[in-house]
């Protein structure tokens, strides 16, 4: 979960490297560093944010036409300057995203050859391997190809060498890496955001690719060492979408962008109706034969899948299972090849989800669907079908608009499956499409609750624990709300299906344990009210998100904020908004780093 950049040009690239690292800082922010090739390799590394490293680089007057950079989320070795990238061996410098699983035997081998290790990282193995093979071959491109052949695990790397100051080499396996193509200059990066200030022309490397970049030439070899032609894409990501604008934090910006993100995501659905072509299944043969659905995801995406289980079973009448990717990939699965495998990932590069997809395919699953926010990322490319959400760039570590657009995509899937199974008549389809059409407006109304939520957040700021309760399709929204609070406020929060409260968690309730309740005006409202009374009887204080047409009000120890009128099946999307805002404002009140919470990173590309 790190970000890498690299550049080769006829101009000073240090500014580009630092700007790129700032845009990649969401991927890791424990430490950062750059290395440039001049008459020697000049390197600056600092623990902390990119701004601290930038100040050091400016003080040292570093410049160069060839360089690499890195922003780190620590895996192997603590957060120290010696563990920060780039790592250097002789005249070779390396940056790396990923995990080298066989780094220990490689370390022992290299130590036996006389190499001395200065860090605890797995990455330093790569630097020494490249240096070792460079001594044998005299050519950096060949040395990198031989080095990566010795590696087991996941990696995206950038390499420069004093021996060839006109060459930037990169390679990828299991971690994302792209090349930005300029005029007389080339770039590498983990994410397109890091190259947009220089070029919109990008090339996505594939598994096992190794590339050699010079100012005026580019060579890509595939995993078998054969020349490979990779497609050039023109990125439609705007620089404006990567800036804060009038907002204080990216999370705040992204919360308020949800009406537009949802409108953009459902635009194609409203135009085409519930068509399998939305998912790339042009003739409908893949989805029509599905007899069940298996959803695989992590974190917030797992909660989106948990909502979808209710929709798919209720609307399409198909059995649906939802599983955490890191669990699915390591157990014996009773696979049914007629089941649709759905993977959900904002970035399209979540390692556990990618590996779970590979495992599912090895079990005979041919019908695979990726729901993703990043075009041409790894998981969509490995899937037979894809639905791209149109959330735009999401920078804040705590996911907001990616979550709600995933829900819109999953609702569309449920309705499409129902239509293909002849379980959605014309009237019901029209009602579902109208619900989607009204959704952005309903979300905007929910955003207007922000002034009412701020006082609640200030009360939460002094708490150490919280409970979240929900029932049915809103139980996953309670789980998502608890996750948001944990992620950015560091308040311990847990979510429970409200009916489970009496089976244990009720023991935790006292006057210091606020209880957040998702209480829409649906068929389970009366059951939720009974659960609320269980909390009040034990002295607990309730903070209830209800619908406008729910017929109960505030009383002693029960605080109520009303979202718009109940919007039916899409109610979970609307109720996700206030729990996001509660977490955001509680974090503000506690003074935590909202966009970059401790110990976390946006794209989880390690196990």
């Amino acid at each position: 979960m790190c970000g890498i950049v690299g550049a080769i040009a006829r101009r000073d690239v240090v500014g580009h490297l630092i700007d790129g690292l700032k845009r990649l800082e969401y991927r890791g922010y424990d430490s950062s560093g750059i290395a440039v090739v001049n008459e020697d390799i000049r390197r600056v590394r600092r623990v902390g944010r990119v701004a601290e490293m930038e100040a050091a680089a400016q003080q040292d007057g570093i410049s160069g036409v060839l360089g690499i950079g890195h922003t780190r989320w620590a895996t192997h070795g603590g957060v120290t300057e010696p563990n920060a990238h780039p790592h250097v061996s002789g005249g070779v410098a390396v940056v790396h995203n990923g995990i080298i699983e066989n780094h220990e035997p490689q370390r022992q081998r290299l130590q036996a050859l006389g190499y001395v290790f200065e860090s605890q990282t797995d990455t330093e193995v790569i630097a020494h391997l490249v240096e070792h093979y460079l001594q044998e071959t005299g050519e950096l491109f060949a040395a990198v190809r031989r080095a990566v052949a010795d590696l087991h695990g996941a990696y995206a790397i950038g390499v420069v060498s004093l021996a060839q100051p006109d060459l930037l080499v990169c390679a990828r396996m299991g971690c994302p890496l792209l090349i930005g193509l300029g005029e007389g200059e080339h770039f590498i990066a983990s994410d397109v955001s890091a190259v947009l200030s220089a070029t919109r022309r990008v090339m996505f490397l594939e598994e096992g690719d190794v590339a050699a970049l010079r100012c005026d030439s580019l060579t890509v070899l595939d995993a078998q060492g054969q020349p490979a032609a990779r497609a050039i894409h023109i990125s439609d990501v705007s620089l404006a979408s990567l800036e804060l604008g009038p907002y204080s934090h990216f999370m705040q910006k992204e919360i308020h962008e949800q009406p537009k993100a949802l409108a953009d995501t459902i635009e194609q659905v409203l135009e085409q109706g519930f068509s399998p072509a939305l998912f790339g299944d042009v003739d409908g043969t893949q989805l029509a034969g599905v007899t069940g659905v298996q959803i695989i995801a992590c974190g917030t995406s797992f909660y989106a899948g948990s909502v979808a289980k209710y929709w798919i079973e209720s609307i399409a009448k198909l059995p649906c299972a939802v599983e955490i990717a890191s669990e699915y990939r390591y157990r014996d699965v009773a696979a049914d090849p007629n089941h649709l495998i759905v993977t959900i990932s904002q970035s399209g590069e979540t390692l556990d989800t990618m590996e779970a997809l590979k495992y599912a395919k090895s079990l005979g699953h041919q019908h695979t669907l990726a729901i993703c926010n990043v075009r041409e990322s790894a998981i969509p490319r490995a899937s037979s079908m894809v639905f791209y959400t149109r959330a735009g760039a999401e920078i804040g570590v705590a996911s907001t608009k990616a979550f709600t657009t995933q829900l819109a995509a999953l609702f569309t899937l449920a309705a499409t499956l129902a239509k293909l199974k002849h379980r959605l008549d014309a009237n019901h389809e029209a009602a579902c499409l109208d619900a989607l059409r009204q959704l952005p407006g309903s979300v905007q109304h929910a955003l207007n609750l922000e002034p009412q939520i701020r006082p609640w957040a200030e009360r939460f700021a002094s708490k150490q624990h919280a409970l979240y309760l929900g029932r049915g399709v809103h139980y996953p929204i309670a789980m998502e709300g608890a996750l948001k609070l944990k992620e950015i406020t560091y308040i311990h929060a847990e979510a429970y299906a409200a009916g489970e409260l009496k089976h244990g968690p009720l023991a935790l309730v006292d006057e210091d344990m606020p209880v957040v309740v998702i209480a829409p005006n649906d068929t389970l409202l009366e059951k939720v009210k009974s659960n609320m009374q269980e909390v009040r009887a034990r002295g607990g204080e309730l903070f209830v998100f209800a619908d406008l047409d729910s017929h109960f009000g505030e009383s002693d120890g029960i605080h109520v904020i009303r979202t718009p009128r109940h919007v039916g099946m899409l109610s979970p999307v609307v109720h996700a908004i206030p729990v996001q805002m509660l977490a955001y404002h509680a974090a503000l009140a506690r003074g935590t780093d909202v966009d970059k919470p401790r110990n976390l990173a946006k794209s989880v590309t390690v196990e």
Side-chain angles (χ1 to χ4, degrees), residues 73-155:
W73 186 85
T75 52
H76 293 79
V79 182
T80 65
E81 190 168 308
N83 288 334
H85 299 216
H87 288 286
V88 171
S89 177
V92 170
V94 173
V95 290
H96 166 227
N97 174 31
I99 294 287
I100 304 304
E101 295 173 356
N102 63 333
H103 70 97
E104 290 184 358
Q106 290 293 344
R107 179 184 289 257
Q108 293 169 5
R109 169 193 169 196
L110 289 160
Q111 286 173 331
L113 291 171
Y115 287 93
V116 176
F117 283 77
E118 299 177 352
S119 77
Q120 300 166 298
T121 68
D122 54 340
T123 301
E124 194 176 356
V125 162
I126 306 173
H128 292 316
L129 277 174
V130 174
E131 166 65 16
H132 171 64
Y133 287 125
L134 183 60
Q135 295 301 319
E136 291 188 2
T137 65
E139 209 285 315
L140 183 63
F141 195 27
V144 171
R145 297 202 307 275
R146 290 186 63 179
V148 297
D150 290 343
L151 303 178
H152 299 159
Y155 57 79

Side-chain angles (χ1 to χ4, degrees), residues 456-520:
W456 282 17
E458 290 169 2
R459 298 180 67 172
F460 271 66
S462 62
K463 304 297 184 181
Q464 298 303 313
H465 308 277
L467 288 178
Y468 282 66
L469 303 179
R471 294 198 77 143
V473 72
H474 293 88
Y475 169 42
I477 301 304
M479 292 192 286
E480 172 65 5
L483 176 63
K484 287 290 157 283
L485 198 73
K486 281 182 280 198
E487 283 180 309
I488 62 171
T489 69
Y490 318 141
I491 295 170
H492 171 245
E494 296 297 335
Y496 290 92
E500 282 293 291
L501 195 64
K502 57 187 174 290
H503 294 291
L506 202 56
L508 297 171
V509 171
D510 60 20
E511 64 276 7
D512 293 321
M513 173 79 81
V515 179
V516 179
V517 185
I518 313 299

Side-chain angles (χ1 to χ4, degrees), residues 402-422:
F403 175 66
T404 49
T405 53
Q406 286 170 356
L407 289 176
L410 289 161
F411 180 81
T412 300
L413 174 64
T416 302
L417 289 170
K419 185 176 179 180
L420 289 169
K421 297 294 183 182
H422 306 292

